[in-house]
Amino acid sequence: MRAITSSRAENLSIGELSKYSGVNIETIRYYERIKMLPAPPRTASGRRLYGPAEKRTLAFIRRSRDLGFTLEEIRALLDLGGPERASCADVHKIASAHLAKVRSKLSDLAKLEAILAETVARCTDGAAPDCPVLDILDAGRQGD
Amino acid sequence: MRAITSSRAENLSIGELSKYSGVNIETIRYYERIKMLPAPPRTASGRRLYGPAEKRTLAFIRRSRDLGFTLEEIRALLDLGGPERASCADVHKIASAHLAKVRSKLSDLAKLEAILAETVARCTDGAAPDCPVLDILDAGRQGD
DNA sequence: CTTGATCCTGTAGTCACTACAGGATGCATG
DNA sequence: CATGCATCCTGTAGTGACTACAGGATCAAG
């Protein structure tokens, strides 16, 4: 088990960063490959060493992903929030576009839930002669 | 424009089936490749000819996809609804498992919507000194 | 006979990861 | 100092559900 300390310096190995951030090791390397994360410095033997900046960036990405932003959107947000944190208007544009998408998905999903719930409810006994779920899915005879 | 009729027989070309069902041509071929749809008969020159059975099956798939079932689930449903349409209980199991997933996704999405909406609302003027969206995403200093 | 629409196969790209294979280090213990 | 296990490395391929070509064949109308 070897004790996960080693934070004597503020440098983290990829495994520690992974545990800390809740982002899979493979995913961290993937982020580096696609340039979501800068390539960190390495030890003499080639192991990645992450400092507090990378830690923060990864946390930002993680949180944004949780909120459903795509990596492309996050890239834009990172650029905007980078060196000069000027353009709140641009950030607002990205975030509200995303919000609109979330809302539309939400309403679709709500409709879907209603249909499914209603359908499933109609055969809770499991003894119906014809299966209403299949009938719903099989619909299309009425317009045919 | 060449008139989309040709329903003299009840056979459809892949293009007609696509238009009729709202499923992309490429997707129809993809379904055939992964065996969601049976390989249809062909004309002498090798073009696919679809009859009413395929039309129905594709409509079933389409509708199920709209309701968020995975292709794997749909495959199971098709098997269940196939030759002997006996096991409504099995269908019920698949559908209600799916319903549970939908509900959990729905509640996640609702939470997400609330956070996003609140965050975006806080900078509608676009003139805030610091950007609340970036701040929310950048959170993590409090626990650090 | 030419033109343009439609069709064919096969391959590769998308998104956001995830899962290996096959090997090199790091480090604590005997 | 050797052993052994955890961790790390690179590189490639797989996932789901498509989508997008390239490069060619066929069809039907004018």
Side-chain angles (χ1 to χ4, degrees), chain A:
Chain A
M1 252 310 176
R2 231 135 307 291
I4 313 288
T5 52
S6 100
S7 339
R8 19 192 166 184
E10 53 204 352
N11 287 330
L12 302 174
S13 72
I14 195 171
E16 289 162 338
L17 182 63
S18 168
K19 243 162 219 154
Y20 172 86
S21 65
V23 176
N24 203 315
I25 288 185
E26 316 273 31
T27 305
I28 296 174
R29 284 198 284 248
Y30 166 72
Y31 284 163
E32 181 179 330
R33 206 161 61 243
I34 64 166
K35 276 152 206 187
M36 286 296 300
L37 281 179
R42 306 281 188 124
T43 67
S45 69
R47 303 195 164 193
R48 292 170 179 84
L49 270 188
Y50 295 95
E54 284 96 341
K55 222 163 94 177
R56 283 240 318 266
T57 305
L58 187 58
F60 183 97
I61 296 174
R62 171 80 216 261
R63 203 161 154 67
S64 304
R65 288 291 301 132
D66 283 351
L67 292 179
F69 287 91
T70 66
L71 291 181
E72 234 16 76
E73 287 165 337
I74 298 170
R75 226 190 277 269
L77 288 173
L78 281 171
D79 285 356
L80 291 176
E84 38 230 278
R85 231 164 171 285
S87 40
C88 184
D90 290 344
V91 171
H92 183 265
K93 204 185 289 175
I94 295 177
S96 52
H98 179 56
L99 178 57
K101 275 189 286 174
V102 166
R103 283 192 169 140
S104 119
K105 206 186 279 174
L106 194 58
S107 101
D108 286 357
L109 212 54
K111 271 180 229 148
L112 197 156
E113 193 270 349
I115 295 173
L116 267 179
E118 209 253 316
T119 310
V120 167
R122 276 203 281 151
C123 69
T124 30
D125 48 61
D130 291 304
C131 183
V133 176
L134 289 180
D135 287 347
I136 275 271
L137 294 176
D138 212 5
R141 242 74 54 91
Q142 77 267 46
D144 202 7

Side-chain angles (χ1 to χ4, degrees), chain B residues 14-63:
Chain B
I14 196 170
E16 289 162 338
L17 182 63
S18 169
K19 243 163 218 154
Y20 172 87
S21 65
V23 176
N24 202 317
I25 289 184
E26 317 271 31
T27 305
I28 296 173
R29 285 198 283 249
Y30 166 72
Y31 284 164
E32 181 179 331
R33 206 160 61 241
I34 63 167
K35 276 153 204 184
M36 286 296 299
L37 281 179
R42 306 277 187 127
T43 67
S45 67
R47 302 192 165 195
R48 291 170 179 84
L49 269 187
Y50 294 96
E54 283 97 341
K55 221 162 92 175
R56 284 240 317 268
T57 306
L58 187 57
F60 183 97
I61 296 174
R62 170 82 218 257
R63 203 162 153 66

